[in-house]
Amino acid sequence: MSIRILLRDHPHRTIALVTESHALIFRHSPSSADLGYNGRARFPEGEGAAPRCMVEFSPLASLDLEGYRPLTNLGIHGTLGLVTINNDVFICVVTGASQVATVRPKETAQRIHGVEFYCLNRSSYDYVQLDDVYSEYDASSDRLDRVGGDIRESESEHPCASLRKLLSGGTFYYSVNFDLTNRLQNRSNDNATFDVDSLDNGFLWNSYMINPLLRFRSRLADHERKALDASCILTSTIRGYVFTLNIPPSISPLKNSRSGLPSTLTLISRLSCRRAGTRFNARGIDDDGNVANFVETETVFWNPAGICFSYAQVRGSVPVFWEQASSLIPGQQKTQITRSPEATQPAFDKHFESLEVKYGAVHVLNLLSESRPQEAELTRRYRYHLSQNPLSSTPEKGSSFEHRLLQATEYDFNAETKGPAGYEAASMVKHLVANFADAFGYYMLEDNQDLPTGKENDSRLVINQSVVLQQEGTFRTNCLDCLDRTNLVQTILSQLALESFLGGQGVRGSSDFWARHSSLWADNGDALSIIYAGTGALKSSFTRHGKMSLAGALADARKSATRLYINNFADKERQNTMDLLLGRLVGQAPVDLYDPINDFVVNELNRRSSEYSTTKTINILVATFNVNGRTEGIAEDLSSWICPKLHSSQQFPEIVAVGFQEIVELSPQQIMSTDPGRRLKWEEAVKRTLNNNAKQNGAEEYVLLRSGQLVGAALLIFVRMSVLPFLKNVEGSVKKTGLSGMAGNKGAVAIRMDYCSTRICFVTAHLAAGFANYEERNRDYQTINHGLRFQKNRSIEDHDSIIWLGDFNYRIGLGNDKVRKAIINGDLDFLYENDQLNLQMVAGLSFPFYTEGRITFLPTYKYDIGTEVYDTSEKARIPAWCDRVLKKGSNLRQTHYSIAPLLFSDHRPVYATFECVVNVIDEVIKERLGHEIYKKRRAEVGNSTANAQSDDTDDEDLIGYDSIAPGLPPASSDRRKWWLDNGLPARSELHPPDSNMTPNPLRPSNPFSKTGEPSWVPKSQTPPPPPKPRGSSSARSVQSNTSQATSTSVAPTGYRHAVPPPWPPTSSHPSKVSSSPNLRSESRLSTSALSTTSSKTSSKPPPSIASSSRQLPNTISQSSTGGAPELHRKPPPIKPKKPDVLRSETSQSTLSSTSTRPSVPRSPSVTSRASASISLPAKPGPRPQLSIAENTLLPPSVRPKPGSMRSGSPSGNGVAINTSSYISDKPEFPPPPRRSTAPIQSPQSHHITRKEVPPPVPPPRGSARGTTAGGPGNGSGEEREEMPPLPPRRAATNVGLMDEDHVAGEKEALGGWKALKPQ
């Protein structure tokens, strides 16, 4: 499929990969906080901030590609992904590729010889010419300034030049129609199936660049994901060697009489990217168990007759921690082992454990020399670690040799080939490993051609592929570099496997055939050597022609010299380029791709899954039986085992899974092959029992869904007829564990299926025997659990419900007498406490996270045949629960667990029943809901997609943040807020549980606070709100006191302040209460200002103020009688910085009205000090309460506290105020007020109660303190009169100091006032 790359510059730089039906569009979108002065994204140094790009995959019919132009005229074969260099994001596309291999029909591989990099966020590199492909050995042109990955830029150099050279060097391969990262045995048998999800990241060299696109792909809908895969835009590449040689029919070992098509011989070498590097920069092993120069090489032979052969072997560096420094002198590179044996063993074990899981048994072929001290030291360490590895441990006494999964052969290649035979002597290695090669076998597929059923006149053939043999082990070959010697020996091993395969077909290969085979391996050695060492492989002349010539020796000398130069001067730069490709440089981060629409749709569909999915419960019966190779039970009634008496709802389960062990006698002749005859007989017996029971009870019949067999183990799955429409993707697989994975006497058979949308897997297993071999049984479980694979590389753990059944062979760890005595006493709990499987599960060493039903039946092994008596033979085996059923899955519930009384075997059959909750998805509703969400999201987002044409989009608002928990909104950023998403206001979806309920106002606003208050309370029980803080409007309500009783008048909460009564229209301007900021800022109010005049001076106020003050009682009376004259008020005053303290004055506070001193004209600032004066009548009288309107006449700094007004005479012609109730909010203490020296005029005048406060600090001695009416600083020059000392401090009382009820002695004690002096 042809692909075009298009570019649009405005309004956003956008690059699109366009196929015939779809387009994949990218647009870089940095946040505004990350933009530099030139508009380029800036990422923090060393923090690895991931650049963001918007991506969109849509059909062409829904896109507007106006404004796009071709970016290049070269054909595009796909994209390798995205990479960041110097904070610029580049997309890498394949522009040149050629087909080099056809493994099987419709399985082709291409070699990459041209790539281009296009910048997503800048146009600076659009016209920068990349240099031509560099010379094969000229690696010094790779330019990296530092390990951090900054590549030197210039006006004529592209920052991706070194990457382009690396990827265009002819060592990278890809395929668009099959998985090139997995060997044939691990791939699906269906040629049309190519699942990106099954890629092996260990061999995927562009995993760092392609992973963002793979994550984006995983978030697409199913139909979109299939369309993206079909477009072949995403490219997965390996590094190594891939090539196919056509074998003409004339020299092909296998003849095909039906067609004249040639056979094919393909070699695929996959270099691991886990510990990739050059020769002296990558040696040994790392802590994850990855080794340097690890290569999996697969030989594939295909014949048009429908037979396909595959054989895989691996190579890799010695798996210990060692280094080797480069040197210009050949043979003088010193080897250093960098870790102790104890520190190396864990990584060593990880390496071989991963090999065992993937390949089965492993045989090490060590080619290091014993005569070279450095290689000899590595060999000694290798030998030591092999002996300490659990896979190569010696079996327990009395057990066979079958469970040694790791073995080794040491072959000193240099010593063996020094003789006159030369390298031809290396072929003697065949005799050392021939037995292991036969045991490992090879992988073989065979096509079965059948006519379609039910169509007699249809001439088309249906081809079904079946697996004939599987490879059960592999050879791991190594020398020092794993290049020259290793490649030659691997050629011999490949020929050995091919000879075994051809011998099985009854044919032999011709010399021409073997010459092509050798030439293919020689090219493979050269390709791998160029990658690792910089030159072609040594000894390739012998590998190619079978003999060593003078020209070959000279070529080897030239290659050695070239290696010295490259390893010393160029390998470091090549290593840095590889690290850049693999994303291993410091500060390097993968690109973050997001789709503002599809990502939202997927998350929303998952959140609303209940709208299109339902659940239903099905019943499953699981039965297992070790029949001990006997056939008598085939004719017996199996209903007590297969159809036990259960509750009517479980009597006819939807699925019946039956597992057998030892259906054939496990003789040496039987364990290497599978005879289906016995399995077919047991299938018929089980089906007959199920359907007879169904007919008797009028239920529907059962059908065999699928069966599988591994020598003596078999698994049968029966289902009811009505269940078939709900089942799909039914697959089977087997895994051998006997004889180091070579024999099928032990192992497992598994069948998986999708029941609606729930993945179910059944595994029947027969594990290692022997009382003390519980560790071998644990290892068998690990081998099966990790090594058994279904199509698309599914494992057992990739299922929702897993049920294991079979003869697990775990015993009871007690003596025979104790066990039999406990059985007689019925003490099953005591036996179960010592059960090996129970102990191993508790310790987490076997079947982790699995559960087992309570065992209420006697041990199932070992009985005398036909009796209920445990073993009475000479061996007298200890009774044990060998036959078990285990389950894993939150949707499984076990309901029964018991045995059946069938006596024809030395085991007892076991059965268990389960209730399984399966998820049923209505695809029609899901698709409709998805379209609705898509349209809604599209309307909200508008054109804010990767293909948007508006220039005012805010990309950061569209990033698909995931919520931390279901039901919560996604996380917010500096610019994106969930409550204002896409400009929409937040809407609360919280509803009260009842219409009569309301939120509890007493509950703390902090949701994390611990409280006992409920969230909702009845409306009738809503508590009053808490009082407002002091200073609020409600806190300023006042209370007035009467002389007889205390009565409060508080304005209701929430009422607005009443408008105060106005002054009479005839009053002059000074009489108006002023609260302007200028006047208020200079005012100093004392307690006398609340009675008749300003307390900041004791002189007589201006007549205008005095005259207007006398009208206050009338004004108040008018207000109380309902008058509403207008009052002109100024804005509220500005609060001073510190509170002012009001002090009570003597009765001379009324002297301002009787003083005979002439008034002096005052400036506005002086006038402002008396602006808040209140005039009181001369005679005492009743003291009315201050209303709220009257209270507002007081400045905010001196308004009374609630409940602090004193009651007075009921006559209503006076006002008395208790100043102890006032609180000043002025920011600073004023200087002490001037005191009048005139005698107290009238003891009957109204007084103000003094608030107990400490006296203020007076000014320095000698300062002028005038007492004239002009106040301080009036320039009158009058002498100051001495005032009497202050009276002693008294405790606060409820009456004023000048009240009439004071005794005369107290009034005389006042004498007169004196200036305040420091104590």
Side-chain angles (χ1 to χ4, degrees):
M1 182 178 292
S2 61
I3 303 174
R4 297 176 297 154
I5 183 168
L6 306 179
L7 170 67
R8 187 181 66 192
D9 295 310
H10 301 287
H12 305 279
R13 181 174 174 84
T14 308
I15 293 179
L17 298 177
V18 182
T19 65
E20 297 177 355
S21 58
H22 289 77
L24 184 63
I25 304 174
F26 301 91
R27 175 160 66 87
H28 183 256
S29 55
S31 62
S32 58
D34 295 332
L35 291 179
Y37 67 93
N38 58 352
R40 292 173 55 185
R42 298 183 304 182
F43 303 122
E45 183 71 19
E47 293 185 3
R52 295 193 181 110
C53 287
M54 191 180 295
V55 63
E56 179 182 0
F57 181 73
S58 300
L60 285 181
S62 63
L63 296 175
D64 181 11
L65 298 181
E66 183 180 357
Y68 285 88
R69 59 180 176 84
L71 193 54
T72 180
N73 294 327
L74 299 175
I76 305 300
H77 301 275
T79 177
L80 297 181
L82 302 164
V83 65
T84 303
I85 300 177
N86 291 341
N87 298 333
D88 291 322
V89 181
F90 294 88
I91 181 173
C92 178
V93 294
V94 179
T95 57
S98 58
Q99 181 174 321
V100 294
T102 302
V103 182
R104 293 186 296 173
K106 299 181 181 180
E107 289 186 355
T108 60
Q110 288 75 30
R111 178 170 58 198
I112 299 174
H113 55 74
V115 298
E116 296 290 344
F117 288 85
Y118 298 103
C119 188
L120 292 179
N121 58 304
R122 289 209 295 168
S123 60
S124 306
Y125 304 112
D126 288 352
Y127 304 101
V128 175
Q129 297 295 326
L130 288 169
D131 297 335
D132 294 335
V133 178
Y134 295 94
S135 172
E136 185 176 47
Y137 306 122
D138 184 15
S140 60
S141 56
D142 293 354
R143 296 182 178 177
L144 288 173
D145 288 337
R146 61 181 178 88
V147 179
D150 287 338
I151 298 178
R152 286 204 302 256
E153 291 185 31
S154 65
E155 295 298 332
S156 60
E157 183 180 7
H158 199 284
C160 301
S162 61
L163 278 179
R164 181 181 184 272
K165 177 260 167 188
L166 179 67
L167 293 170
S168 303
T171 60
F172 289 87
Y173 302 83
Y174 74 94
S175 176
V176 296
N177 44 37
F178 78 101
D179 182 5
L180 195 55
T181 65
N182 279 292
R183 57 177 176 154
L184 183 62
Q185 182 168 326
N186 292 340
R187 300 202 305 265
S188 169
N189 298 334
D190 187 1
N191 291 346
T193 302
F194 177 30
D195 192 355
V196 178
D197 297 328
S198 63
L199 297 174
D200 188 343
N201 286 330
F203 298 119
L204 185 64
W205 270 72
N206 65 325
S207 60
Y208 167 75
M209 296 196 299
I210 201 69
N211 274 340
L213 285 168
L214 295 181
R215 288 193 295 268
F216 162 73
R217 172 189 173 275
S218 66
R219 300 193 298 264
L220 295 175
D222 291 339
H223 67 281
E224 293 176 325
R225 190 181 304 116
K226 293 178 181 178
L228 181 59
D229 293 343
S231 67
C232 299
I233 293 178
L234 304 185
T235 304
S236 57
T237 180
I238 68 168
R239 195 180 193 193
Y241 179 74
V242 181
F243 199 78
T244 295
L245 283 177
N246 291 326
I247 309 298
S250 58
I251 63 173
S252 176
L254 297 179
K255 307 300 180 181
N256 182 16
S257 59
R258 291 179 292 180
S259 68
L261 296 177
S263 302
T264 60
L265 182 63
T266 305
L267 199 63
I268 304 175
S269 286
R270 305 173 181 92
L271 176 62
S272 173
C273 60
R274 300 291 191 191
R275 188 166 168 75
T278 54
R279 185 183 181 190
F280 291 105
N281 291 289
R283 290 290 203 188
I285 196 172
D286 63 12
D287 289 294
D288 294 324
N290 305 310
V291 296
N293 200 23
F294 181 82
V295 183
E296 176 191 84
T297 303
E298 181 182 14
T299 305
V300 182
F301 177 77
W302 176 83
N303 184 266
I307 298 177
C308 188
F309 158 89
S310 169
Y311 184 78
Q313 52 186 320
V314 297
R315 67 174 73 178
S317 183
V318 177
V320 297
F321 291 93
W322 63 283
E323 298 173 354
Q324 191 176 27
S326 60
S327 175
L328 292 174
I329 303 176
Q332 296 300 315
Q333 296 89 355
K334 294 184 178 180
T335 300
Q336 179 184 4
I337 298 178
T338 59
R339 290 199 192 180
S340 65
E342 295 79 10
T344 302
Q345 193 66 45
F348 185 93
D349 294 342
K350 286 182 183 179
H351 174 69
F352 281 99
E353 181 182 356
S354 64
L355 292 182
E356 189 270 333
V357 168
K358 187 172 185 178
Y359 301 103
V362 180
H363 190 94
V364 173
L365 193 54
N366 182 17
L367 307 180
L368 293 177
S369 174
E370 289 290 343
S371 60
R372 298 177 181 179
Q374 297 181 2
E375 294 188 13
E377 177 63 21
L378 287 175
T379 298
R380 286 192 292 270
R381 286 293 298 272
Y382 203 173
R383 189 184 304 126
Y384 168 79
H385 290 297
L386 285 171
S387 65
Q388 299 298 315
N389 189 272
L391 299 177
S392 60
S393 59
T394 303
E396 298 289 341
K397 183 179 179 180
S399 62
S400 64
F401 189 67
E402 60 181 13
H403 288 286
R404 282 193 61 176
L405 299 175
L406 178 60
Q407 301 180 63
T409 297
E410 295 179 3
Y411 182 79
D412 189 342
F413 183 91
N414 291 333
E416 297 292 339
T417 58
K418 274 187 177 181
Y423 293 142
E424 294 181 4
S427 60
M428 297 301 294
V429 75
K430 289 182 179 180
H431 305 290
L432 299 177
V433 298
N435 293 334
F436 297 101
D438 292 338
F440 292 161
Y442 47 83
Y443 182 71
M444 180 178 171
L445 274 175
E446 188 173 5
D447 292 345
N448 299 321
Q449 299 180 349
D450 299 320
L451 289 173
T453 58
K455 297 183 179 180
E456 298 179 356
N457 298 328
D458 195 345
S459 60
R460 294 177 300 173
L461 295 178
V462 177
I463 299 178
N464 298 316
Q465 293 180 329
S466 60
V467 178
V468 180
L469 289 174
Q470 285 191 333
Q471 184 178 348
E472 303 296 344
T474 190
F475 287 97
R476 186 195 189 277
T477 310
N478 71 272
C479 56
L480 192 65
D481 296 326
C482 303
L483 295 176
D484 314 318
R485 291 173 279 181
T486 298
N487 194 74
L488 179 56
V489 171
Q490 282 194 329
T491 304
I492 298 172
L493 296 177
S494 176
Q495 181 175 344
L496 185 63
L498 267 172
E499 289 176 348
S500 177
F501 160 69
L502 295 176
Q505 302 297 318
V507 297
R508 298 181 61 183
S510 63
S511 58
D512 290 340
F513 175 78
W514 295 121
R516 292 172 184 265
H517 173 267
S518 298
S519 176
L520 197 60
W521 270 95
D523 293 338
N524 174 72
D526 287 339
L528 297 178
S529 182
I530 290 173
I531 295 173
Y532 191 60
T535 70
L538 307 181
K539 308 176 182 64
S540 61
S541 176
F542 176 83
T543 305
R544 196 179 305 274
H545 305 293
K547 60 182 180 179
M548 195 66 182
S549 61
L550 178 60
L554 293 176
D556 287 351
R558 178 182 61 84
K559 293 175 183 177
S560 297
T562 307
R563 283 185 182 182
L564 289 176
Y565 170 77
I566 293 177
N567 297 156
N568 283 276
F569 301 105
D571 274 357
K572 183 178 180 181
E573 306 301 336
R574 294 199 307 141
Q575 180 72 48
N576 288 338
T577 305
M578 276 189 257
D579 291 340
L580 176 64
L581 174 65
L582 298 173
R584 296 176 179 171
L585 299 182
V586 176
Q588 204 173 357
V591 180
D592 182 16
L593 293 179
Y594 66 97
D595 184 349
I597 297 181
N598 283 315
D599 291 357
F600 179 84
V601 172
V602 172
N603 293 334
E604 191 70 9
L605 281 176
N606 293 334
R607 189 179 67 86
R608 300 171 61 180
S609 60
S610 59
E611 299 182 24
Y612 56 83
S613 64
T614 57
T615 60
K616 70 175 183 179
T617 301
I618 64 172
N619 295 296
I620 301 175
L621 185 141
V622 176
T624 179
F625 195 3
N626 186 324
V627 296
N628 195 25
R630 309 180 71 87
T631 58
E632 296 90 335
I634 295 178
E636 289 192 16
D637 182 14
L638 305 177
S639 58
S640 60
W641 174 47
I642 303 299
C643 305
K645 298 300 182 181
L646 303 173
H647 189 270
S648 59
S649 61
Q650 300 178 343
Q651 189 65 40
F652 303 99
E654 283 79 358
I655 300 176
V656 177
V658 182
F660 288 99
Q661 299 82 43
E662 297 186 24
I663 58 174
V664 296
E665 294 183 4
L666 300 181
S667 62
Q669 296 79 17
Q670 292 279 1
I671 64 175
M672 301 304 296
S673 62
T674 298
D675 181 11
R678 293 279 183 93
R679 172 176 58 84
L680 295 176
K681 293 179 180 179
W682 281 109
E683 285 179 5
E684 183 62 28
V686 174
K687 184 178 180 180
R688 181 180 63 250
T689 302
L690 288 172
N691 288 332
N692 288 341
N693 182 63
K695 289 181 181 179
Q696 294 175 3
N697 294 275
E700 60 180 328
E701 294 185 351
Y702 285 86
V703 296
L704 177 65
L705 180 66
R706 178 163 182 156
S707 62
Q709 182 180 357
L710 175 63
V711 186
L715 179 61
L716 319 176
I717 304 296
F718 294 88
V719 298
R720 286 165 30 186
M721 288 288 295
S722 59
V723 171
L724 291 176
F726 302 101
L727 300 176
K728 58 183 179 180
N729 299 328
V730 181
E731 304 169 11
S733 183
V734 298
K735 183 63 178 179
K736 299 177 182 178
T737 60
L739 289 178
S740 299
M742 297 176 288
N745 60 321
K746 297 294 187 291
V749 183
I751 296 177
R752 58 94 52 204
M753 67 192 73
D754 291 341
Y755 194 113
C756 295
S757 298
T758 300
R759 301 165 298 177
I760 305 176
C761 180
F762 298 95
V763 184
T764 185
H766 193 189
L767 305 184
F771 179 85
N773 288 342
Y774 58 87
E775 291 184 353
E776 303 295 335
R777 290 186 277 274
N778 295 346
R779 192 173 298 116
D780 284 350
Y781 161 75
Q782 296 291 342
T783 301
I784 296 170
N785 192 56
H786 292 93
L788 191 146
R789 287 290 187 271
F790 300 99
Q791 293 183 12
K792 300 182 180 180
N793 203 32
R794 290 192 185 97
S795 67
I796 295 176
E797 296 297 326
D798 296 330
H799 294 82
D800 304 310
S801 305
I802 308 171
I803 299 177
W804 283 66
L805 59 149
D807 182 2
F808 298 158
N809 263 323
Y810 285 93
R811 309 303 171 90
I812 299 175
L814 297 172
N816 199 353
D817 295 337
K818 288 186 178 180
V819 173
R820 292 175 185 259
K821 182 177 180 180
I823 292 174
I824 296 175
N825 297 331
D827 193 356
L828 301 183
D829 291 340
F830 173 69
L831 296 178
Y832 187 73
E833 290 173 358
N834 294 274
D835 177 68
Q836 290 179 350
L837 178 57
N838 175 40
L839 297 175
Q840 297 301 304
M841 290 176 64
V842 171
L845 301 177
S846 183
F847 295 97
F849 307 107
Y850 281 84
T851 58
E852 183 182 24
R854 181 178 177 83
I855 295 180
T856 58
F857 48 88
L858 298 178
T860 60
Y861 173 85
K862 175 181 183 185
Y863 289 89
D864 291 338
I865 302 296
T867 69
E868 292 285 354
V869 180
Y870 286 104
D871 188 18
T872 59
S873 66
E874 294 181 0
K875 294 183 178 180
R877 289 190 170 81
I878 302 174
W881 286 297
C882 290
D883 308 277
R884 313 289 275 270
V885 178
L886 306 178
K887 62 99 173 177
K888 180 180 180 180
S890 59
N891 60 334
L892 284 174
R893 188 176 73 90
Q894 188 167 350
T895 55
H896 293 87
Y897 196 20
S898 186
I899 60 175
L902 299 179
L903 309 181
F904 59 85
S905 173
D906 58 353
H907 290 253
R908 289 294 176 264
V910 176
Y911 68 89
T913 59
F914 299 90
E915 290 182 350
C916 180
V917 179
V918 297
N919 191 28
V920 182
I921 295 179
D922 192 324
E923 296 294 341
V924 176
I925 298 178
K926 180 180 179 181
E927 184 176 1
R928 183 174 67 249
L929 181 61
H931 284 301
E932 294 175 358
I933 298 174
Y934 183 92
K935 291 180 180 179
K936 182 179 178 181
R937 181 64 173 173
R938 169 68 76 173
E940 294 175 353
V941 172
N943 293 327
S944 300
T945 60
N947 194 40
Q949 298 188 9
S950 59
D951 56 358
D952 58 349
T953 59
D954 189 357
D955 296 345
E956 193 166 339
D957 290 345
L958 305 173
I959 298 174
Y961 293 107
D962 295 331
S963 61
I964 60 175
L968 295 181
S972 302
S973 65
D974 292 340
R975 302 179 59 188
R976 180 185 184 277
K977 300 175 177 58
W978 60 265
W979 59 91
L980 295 176
D981 195 10
N982 299 312
L984 300 178
R987 292 184 303 173
S988 174
E989 298 181 356
L990 188 65
H991 302 287
D994 188 3
S995 59
N996 294 325
M997 305 293 285
T998 186
N1000 186 0
L1002 298 182
R1003 187 177 178 86
S1005 58
N1006 185 355
F1008 301 101
S1009 299
K1010 294 183 179 180
T1011 178
E1013 293 289 342
S1015 299
W1016 304 89
V1017 294
K1019 293 181 178 179
S1020 59
Q1021 300 180 8
T1022 304
K1028 296 185 178 181
R1030 181 175 297 174
S1032 61
S1033 60
S1034 61
R1036 292 173 183 170
S1037 60
V1038 296
Q1039 298 177 352
S1040 299
N1041 300 328
T1042 62
S1043 58
Q1044 305 298 331
T1046 303
S1047 60
T1048 60
S1049 176
V1050 182
T1053 303
Y1055 281 16
R1056 298 181 58 186
H1057 288 300
V1059 178
W1063 300 97
T1066 57
S1067 62
S1068 59
H1069 176 73
S1071 66
K1072 299 177 182 178
V1073 178
S1074 174
S1075 60
S1076 65
N1078 293 335
L1079 299 179
R1080 181 66 183 90
S1081 63
E1082 299 182 8
S1083 62
R1084 298 292 187 266
L1085 296 178
S1086 65
T1087 55
S1088 61
L1090 300 175
S1091 57
T1092 58
T1093 182
S1094 174
S1095 64
K1096 298 305 176 184
T1097 177
S1098 58
S1099 59
K1100 182 179 179 180
S1104 59
I1105 298 179
S1107 60
S1108 60
S1109 299
R1110 297 189 187 101
Q1111 300 175 9
L1112 179 59
N1114 298 332
T1115 303
I1116 296 177
S1117 300
Q1118 187 177 0
S1119 173
S1120 62
T1121 56
E1126 185 180 2
L1127 174 64
H1128 300 280
R1129 301 188 63 192
K1130 293 186 178 182
I1134 298 178
K1135 291 185 178 180
K1137 296 181 180 179
K1138 291 185 178 179
D1140 188 13
V1141 181
L1142 298 179
R1143 296 174 174 82
S1144 61
E1145 302 289 347
T1146 62
S1147 59
Q1148 266 187 298
S1149 60
T1150 58
L1151 291 177
S1152 57
S1153 60
T1154 58
S1155 176
T1156 58
R1157 301 192 180 190
S1159 62
V1160 180
R1162 300 183 180 183
S1163 63
S1165 61
V1166 177
T1167 306
S1168 64
R1169 298 190 179 109
S1171 59
S1173 61
I1174 302 176
S1175 178
L1176 298 178
K1179 290 184 177 182
R1183 303 170 181 175
Q1185 297 179 352
L1186 285 179
S1187 66
I1188 294 179
E1190 295 157 352
N1191 183 34
T1192 57
L1193 295 176
L1194 302 177
S1197 60
V1198 293
R1199 288 177 183 170
K1201 295 184 294 184
S1204 62
M1205 301 301 294
R1206 297 180 65 246
S1207 60
S1209 174
S1211 60
N1213 59 353
V1215 177
I1217 304 175
N1218 188 349
T1219 57
S1220 64
S1221 303
Y1222 290 89
I1223 296 179
S1224 173
D1225 58 2
K1226 292 188 178 181
E1228 61 184 2
F1229 287 97
R1234 294 182 180 272
R1235 309 298 183 181
S1236 174
T1237 57
I1240 300 176
Q1241 294 294 324
S1242 174
Q1244 303 298 327
S1245 61
H1246 296 279
H1247 311 296
I1248 300 177
T1249 305
R1250 176 177 177 177
K1251 181 178 180 180
E1252 288 296 328
V1253 295
V1257 179
R1261 294 175 181 265
S1263 60
R1265 300 183 63 180
T1267 58
T1268 59
N1274 61 356
S1276 61
E1278 295 183 9
E1279 295 184 0
R1280 183 179 52 182
E1281 297 181 4
E1282 293 292 330
M1283 292 188 298
L1286 290 173
R1289 184 170 299 179
R1290 298 173 55 89
T1293 59
N1294 293 329
V1295 295
L1297 294 176
M1298 298 300 177
D1299 284 353
E1300 299 179 14
D1301 52 357
H1302 271 91
V1303 296
E1306 291 179 342
K1307 290 186 290 183
E1308 293 178 356
L1310 294 176
W1313 291 103
K1314 289 187 178 181
L1316 296 175
K1317 297 180 181 180
Q1319 297 179 354

